Amino acid sequence: MRTSEKADALLALARLETQLAALRLKVMAAADDVAEESGARDVAAWLAHESRENPTACRAEQHLALALDTRCTRLGTAVAEGAVNLAQAKVIARALGDLPDDLDPELLVRAEEHLVEAASEYRPDQLRVLGRRILDVIAPDVGEAEEAKQLAREEERAWETTSLTLTRRGDGTTRLTGVLPDAAATRLATYLDAFTSPRSRVVEQRAPATAASRPRSRGRDAGAVVETTAMPQHRARGQAFIALLEHLDPAKLPAHGGDATTVMVTINHDSLTKDLATAGLLGTDDKITAAQARRLACTAQILPVVLGGKSEILDLGRTRRLFSRAQHKAMRIRDTRCRGENCTIPATWTEAHHWKPWSKGGKTDLADGVLLCSHHHHRAHDARYSSERMPNGDIRFHRRT
């Protein structure tokens, strides 16, 4: 077959498939007697059993068959002619079914005609958008009021179906699965995007230059090869969600257990100064590293509870250990950006870090504060790295050997 013949054949076969499916739906709409004779609940249940097809798919076909045979006869004719495919027909039938019951029959006819005609140009997803606003097209004076009613119904349904599930995976991670109203999801995405800016994070991986690697792009340092990879958005948003939780103000949350909602981290005083040690989250069996506890104490609204040898409380950190808003502003003016060496993340996207950890007597003052982006702040508390403060105030990190 020539290329043009293949193209014609594909379109002709698609049209024939639609017409064959339309015939099946037409028979299905008139097959109540088949279900009655066999004692099946309906023809969809009978067909699913006899043909071993998916019951849900058969039931959807039955609903569409009845709609094309009764309410949407013009649409049924277009499907039978192969002018509208099944995917488009399902969208159009649903859009017409969502129109108010008391709508003027003439408007219903105009809506059906308009959507059937539009099917010659638009995909199912585009028809879905048009179908939701069909009254704005054929009757603008009716459309706005009806859209408001439809949105109210959707919001109520979204609120009733909202859910959030936390499932422990047993490997140190928890799977978060949920369904949110669109408006809430948009707010969450907006907040997370504030933490992920710039949208494409670039990770530099440095390796010694070799003869094989020299032709590739080089980094700033002589003899070093730089490979740049953009962090996937789903991972960036996951890390942003963690940052969002760390920046919540417990004083503005509902009371929990008779007091302000607060997460407390318990850690032994000796462990606090060690690189390889663990801390516990009060009220759970969860463990975090001492490095993570020290990092959280810098900026997150978390109370570090330091225990002595007999588990007596030696120190209960308070939010005054955190830098104030005024201090943040002063540091933003002073530093202008993340002070990690060569980092260009602006100060508005950084976190305040104690250069001398509070666990070692550090003070929450401007001289001891330094702004670091999330990446460099994690690195500052990573036991695998050492750091030094450069004469210009930047922080240089070294991988420990």
Side-chain angles (χ1 to χ4, degrees):
M1 297 175 68
R2 294 191 299 271
T3 301
S4 60
E5 292 175 333
K6 293 176 184 177
D8 292 340
L10 288 173
L11 292 176
L13 288 171
R15 191 180 187 91
L16 287 172
E17 286 178 350
T18 297
Q19 291 177 303
L20 185 60
L23 180 58
R24 167 173 159 154
L25 293 176
K26 193 170 186 64
V27 175
M28 198 174 187
D32 288 343
D33 53 336
V34 175
E36 292 175 4
E37 184 173 315
S38 62
R41 182 176 57 184
D42 51 34
V43 68
W46 175 86
L47 185 59
H49 174 74
E50 294 295 331
S51 64
R52 290 166 295 282
E53 293 188 25
N54 186 302
T56 302
C58 288
R59 189 162 302 282
E61 283 192 351
Q62 182 183 22
H63 290 160
L64 179 60
L66 294 175
L68 298 181
D69 189 59
T70 56
R71 295 185 295 105
C72 311
T73 55
R74 292 169 183 79
L75 176 60
T77 300
V79 175
E81 294 173 351
V84 176
N85 62 48
L86 282 190
Q88 292 174 313
K90 291 176 182 178
V91 171
I92 294 174
R94 177 160 187 175
L96 296 174
D98 288 341
L99 293 176
D101 296 332
D102 57 351
L103 185 67
D104 186 337
E106 183 181 347
L107 290 179
L108 183 60
V109 171
R110 289 171 55 190
E112 184 178 3
E113 291 175 343
H114 186 87
L115 290 173
V116 169
E117 183 179 350
S120 63
E121 300 182 27
Y122 298 114
R123 301 188 308 268
D125 57 323
Q126 296 171 320
L127 285 173
R128 184 176 293 108
V129 176
L130 178 59
R132 290 187 57 178
R133 306 187 65 87
I134 187 61
L135 288 181
D136 289 342
V137 177
I138 64 172
D141 54 332
V142 179
E144 185 175 0
E146 182 55 34
E147 183 181 20
K149 294 179 183 178
Q150 185 175 351
L151 287 175
R153 291 193 297 268
E154 288 184 356
E155 289 176 357
E156 182 178 358
R157 187 164 54 247
W159 180 258
E160 293 174 351
T161 57
T162 295
S163 67
L164 186 65
T165 304
L166 302 175
T167 306
R168 294 292 179 95
R169 301 175 64 190
D171 60 356
T173 63
T174 295
R175 182 180 298 280
L176 187 151
T177 307
V179 176
L180 298 176
D182 288 341
T186 299
R187 289 180 60 194
L188 177 60
T190 300
Y191 297 158
L192 296 183
D193 287 346
F195 285 97
T196 59
S197 297
R199 191 172 299 275
S200 296
R201 294 186 176 187
V202 176
V203 179
E204 293 187 355
Q205 300 174 341
R206 295 177 180 269
T210 63
S213 65
R214 284 195 186 101
R216 299 161 64 185
S217 59
R218 294 176 175 267
R220 287 181 295 267
D221 298 337
V225 176
V226 178
E227 297 179 356
T228 58
T229 56
M231 179 183 293
Q233 188 180 29
H234 67 87
R235 187 183 303 169
R237 278 189 167 177
Q239 294 179 4
F241 186 72
I242 297 172
L244 177 63
L245 294 179
E246 292 180 0
H247 284 76
L248 288 178
D249 185 356
K252 297 181 180 180
L253 297 177
H256 184 68
D259 200 354
T261 301
T262 307
V263 177
M264 289 186 285
V265 175
T266 57
I267 187 168
N268 182 276
H269 182 268
D270 293 334
S271 299
L272 187 63
T273 58
K274 295 179 180 178
D275 289 335
L276 298 177
T278 63
L281 295 179
L282 196 62
T284 73
D285 295 327
D286 296 338
K287 294 285 188 179
I288 61 175
T289 64
Q292 179 80 331
R294 289 192 289 268
R295 187 187 69 81
L296 292 175
C298 280
T299 57
Q301 300 286 348
I302 288 183
L303 298 185
V305 182
V306 184
L307 305 177
K310 297 181 180 180
S311 295
E312 65 270 59
I313 295 177
L314 298 181
D315 178 64
L316 180 62
R318 296 174 175 81
T319 54
R320 67 168 177 262
R321 289 190 178 277
L322 306 180
F323 290 98
S324 68
R325 291 185 178 181
Q327 287 175 312
H328 273 276
K329 291 179 180 177
M331 282 188 280
R332 287 201 297 268
I333 295 173
R334 181 194 66 192
D335 293 343
T336 71
R337 60 171 177 81
C338 167
R339 295 316 298 264
E341 188 177 26
N342 296 326
C343 186
T344 58
I345 297 298
T348 51
W349 300 333
T350 59
E351 303 167 355
H353 170 66
H354 291 79
W355 173 243
K356 183 178 181 180
W358 63 267
S359 59
K360 298 180 180 179
K363 299 179 180 180
T364 307
D365 54 31
L366 291 178
D368 194 52
V370 60
L371 294 183
L372 295 175
C373 66
S374 180
H375 169 78
H376 283 112
H377 197 184
H378 278 79
R379 181 160 289 185
H381 292 279
D382 191 333
R384 297 171 300 173
Y385 290 87
S386 62
S387 59
E388 61 175 314
R389 202 161 192 172
M390 308 300 292
N392 67 346
D394 282 357
I395 309 299
R396 175 176 291 176
F397 295 93
H398 304 274
R399 183 68 181 254
R400 297 181 189 274
T401 57

